[in-house]
């Protein structure tokens, strides 16, 4: 009983709640990201994601375990890619670029919306433990969504930025790069673990959050304090 009591005395419930909220925020961000990819592709003529049950708000359908872990621990990561068949597009390279852009764009909108809701809570519903936890959750959504959007805009295959940037390359180069993107992903994972992207992404993430805080009238200093 003594060992159990010692464990419970050191049990940090606040930290556990924080991890649960971070995981929930990450799941929301990746779900919105991948659903936006699928919806964009569907509107452009490719129903592959719909046919495979990926046009859903069920986060289980979109989880990549390693990508989710990195989102919670490093604030950058990825989800299980939505399947897209470029052969169904009228203009494959252009429509693939639009489909790729839909994911990061949705994350920026989600980040702004989360800060907008946080601002309303801060100005009109101040006080109370529940309000504090909701504020923290919304800030985590804003930060993780901003990070997910910016990370995926890096023009390195297979991230979304590569589909946008490479759409300007000659067809022969474009399709050759696509064939090898799964191998490049291993290098991307290694770079994330080594922290190569940490400094430039942090600069961009906080710059974007500062901009959205200004637009939504949410105190940027409070955001930093609650992180």
């Amino acid at each position: 009983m003594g060992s159990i009591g010692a464990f419970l005395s050191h049990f940090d419930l606040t930290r556990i709640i924080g991890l649960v909220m971070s995981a929930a925020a990450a799941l929301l961000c990746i779900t919105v990201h991948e659903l936006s990819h699928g919806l964009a592709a569907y509107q452009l003529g490719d129903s592959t994601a719909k046919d495979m049950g990926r046009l859903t708000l069920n986060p289980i359908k979109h989880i990549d375990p390693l990508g989710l872990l990195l989102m919670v621990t490093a604030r950058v990561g990825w989800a299980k890619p939505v399947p897209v068949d470029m052969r169904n597009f009228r203009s494959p390279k252009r429509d693939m670029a639009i489909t790729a852009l839909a994911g990061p764009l949705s994350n920026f909108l989600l980040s702004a919306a989360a800060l907008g809701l946080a601002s309303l809570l801060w100005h009109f519903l101040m006080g109370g433990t529940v309000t504090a936890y909701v504020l923290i959750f919304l800030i985590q959504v804003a930060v993780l969504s901003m990070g997910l959007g910016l990370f995926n805009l890096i023009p390195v295959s297979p991230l979304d930025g590569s589909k946008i940037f490479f759409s300007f390359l000659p067809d022969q180069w474009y399709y050759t790069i696509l064939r090898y993107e799964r191998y490049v992903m291993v290098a991307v994972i290694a770079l994330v673990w080594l922290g190569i992207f940490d400094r430039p992404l942090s600069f961009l993430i906080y710059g974007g959050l500062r901009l959205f805080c200004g637009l939504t009238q949410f105190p940027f200093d409070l955001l930093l304090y609650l992180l």
Side-chain angles (χ1 to χ4, degrees), residues 23-213:
L27 287 173
L28 175 60
C29 295
I30 65 175
T31 299
V32 169
H33 183 98
E34 293 303 324
L35 178 59
S36 297
H37 281 318
L39 289 173
Y42 184 70
Q43 291 298 317
L44 291 167
D46 177 37
S47 64
T48 305
K50 182 177 184 298
D51 296 340
M52 297 184 68
R54 294 294 301 278
L55 293 189
T56 176
L57 288 171
N58 180 2
I60 303 301
K61 296 286 189 177
H62 305 297
I63 290 177
D64 179 286
L66 180 57
L68 179 62
L69 175 63
L70 286 173
M71 279 198 67
V72 174
T73 58
R75 293 182 180 167
V76 293
W78 54 85
K80 182 167 66 175
V82 160
V84 176
D85 190 341
M86 295 174 60
R87 293 172 297 182
N88 294 322
F89 292 145
R90 291 184 178 180
S91 177
K93 289 169 61 178
R94 181 203 66 190
D95 293 349
M96 190 65 206
I98 294 173
T99 299
L101 181 60
L105 181 60
S106 71
N107 285 130
F108 298 144
L109 293 175
L110 177 61
S111 182
L115 286 176
L117 289 174
S119 183
L120 290 175
L121 285 177
W122 173 252
H123 287 99
F124 300 107
L125 292 175
M126 269 297 295
T129 302
V130 174
T131 301
Y133 278 120
V134 174
L135 271 178
I136 293 171
F137 174 73
L138 290 172
I139 288 172
Q140 288 178 339
V141 169
V143 173
L144 291 176
S145 198
M146 178 68 71
L148 181 62
L150 288 171
F151 177 70
N152 275 276
L153 282 179
I154 297 174
V156 175
S157 185
L159 300 177
D160 297 328
S162 67
K163 307 295 193 306
I164 301 167
F165 177 74
F166 295 156
S167 66
F168 297 101
L169 297 178
D171 288 354
Q172 183 178 358
W173 293 10
Y174 180 82
Y175 291 110
T176 298
I177 292 171
L178 289 185
R179 283 200 297 271
Y180 293 100
E181 68 179 9
R182 69 181 62 183
Y183 305 107
V184 180
M185 191 62 193
V186 176
V188 172
I189 293 172
L191 292 175
V192 171
W193 278 114
L194 292 172
I196 300 300
F197 299 117
D198 287 356
R199 183 168 295 181
L201 275 177
S202 292
F203 175 79
L204 293 173
I205 288 170
Y206 288 113
L209 291 171
R210 185 185 292 274
L211 173 63
F212 285 169
C213 281

